[in-house]
Amino acid sequence: MTVCLAATLVLAGCRSTGSSSTASSGPGTSLDHTVPSAILDLPLREADGSTTTLGDFSGWTVVISDSMTLCTEDCPLDTANVVTAARAADADGLTGKVVFLTITVDPGRDTPHRLTAYRRLYDPDNRLSNWLLLTGSRPDIARLWKYFGVYWRKVPEGRPPDRDWLTGRPLTYDVEHADVVLMLDGNGHERYLISGHAHVAGARNVPGKVRDFLNGLGRQHLYRPGSGSWTWNDVLDGVHRVAGDG
């Protein structure tokens, strides 16, 4: 059973001095933190095995969400909203201006092979060039999420253990983590943060294989999202805000 902590954030942490945050309309918070090159240059592996960094997207609006392919609670819903927002961004003429990066909190299991299989569930025709799934070494992933204040830790698997939706094998551990969507502007400044449970427009936006993998709380958030939850449109609004055209 995955335990997701929707709002466990450390907003100060390693941020540079003089940074600021401001509450805004909707579920997001406006920020202004300069992300250091040590974080922008961390190597991350794409689903196809190639390497990239956050710094490679200088000049772009970068949407970063944390996730894991073996989450039974909120990650499948978060990913559904991010994918829908990515499609909407293309439709709004933002191709080549915004990229959506789903980065794992489970680098021990989320290999490029597994990320490829997960991506295929949400984008079977592989048409979303602006959405990347990323993993990396445990030390690099730990540095990345520590900087952004995203809590995550390995915990024992429940009993009876869930079974891997891809292999059918029983899981041996779980990862407890916060759920956030954060955005960087083209100058490498963190500018916007969304946290909380995702409100998915329709259950079918979550692929059947991972929808069946959801636990009771995940199904509750899917079918009966509570107040304060965020939608794909909230993500798109944040993109326009950060890009300076909203």
Side-chain angles (χ1 to χ4, degrees), residues 43-211:
L44 300 167
R45 289 195 304 278
E46 299 183 33
D48 65 4
S50 60
T51 301
T52 191
T53 68
L54 298 183
D56 287 341
F57 299 101
S58 176
W60 296 49
T61 297
V62 181
V63 181
I64 302 171
S65 57
D66 67 301
S67 187
M68 54 184 278
T69 65
L70 288 167
C71 180
T72 59
E73 198 167 299
D74 284 325
C75 299
L77 283 63
D78 298 349
T79 302
N81 274 355
V82 166
V83 167
T84 302
R87 291 195 178 101
D90 273 352
D92 279 0
L94 295 175
T95 303
K97 298 178 182 179
V98 57
V99 64
F100 294 77
L101 308 180
T102 297
I103 306 178
T104 188
V105 290
D106 187 12
R109 295 182 294 196
D110 279 343
T111 62
H113 170 73
R114 178 173 286 278
L115 294 182
T116 297
Y118 198 67
R119 178 193 175 91
R120 194 175 295 123
L121 298 177
Y122 286 90
D123 182 29
D125 299 324
N126 198 29
R127 293 181 178 177
L128 272 180
S129 61
N130 64 349
W131 177 48
L132 304 179
L133 282 79
L134 302 174
T135 188
S137 70
R138 183 177 178 86
D140 287 339
I141 292 294
R143 288 182 67 194
L144 178 86
W145 291 133
K146 181 179 180 181
Y147 172 77
F148 286 118
V150 175
Y151 168 85
W152 65 293
R153 71 184 179 107
K154 189 174 177 179
V155 296
E157 174 63 19
R159 292 289 180 267
D162 291 315
R163 290 187 172 271
D164 189 327
W165 58 265
L166 182 61
T167 67
R169 297 171 183 164
L171 302 184
T172 58
Y173 70 86
D174 203 351
V175 177
E176 182 180 88
H177 65 96
D179 288 300
V180 302
V181 179
L182 57 94
M183 303 182 194
L184 312 184
D185 66 16
N187 296 316
H189 290 204
E190 186 184 2
R191 298 301 300 273
Y192 202 64
L193 171 71
I194 296 173
S195 63
H197 301 302
H199 181 169
V200 178
R204 290 190 177 277
N205 287 344
V206 178
K209 184 159 285 192
V210 287
R211 192 167 67 236

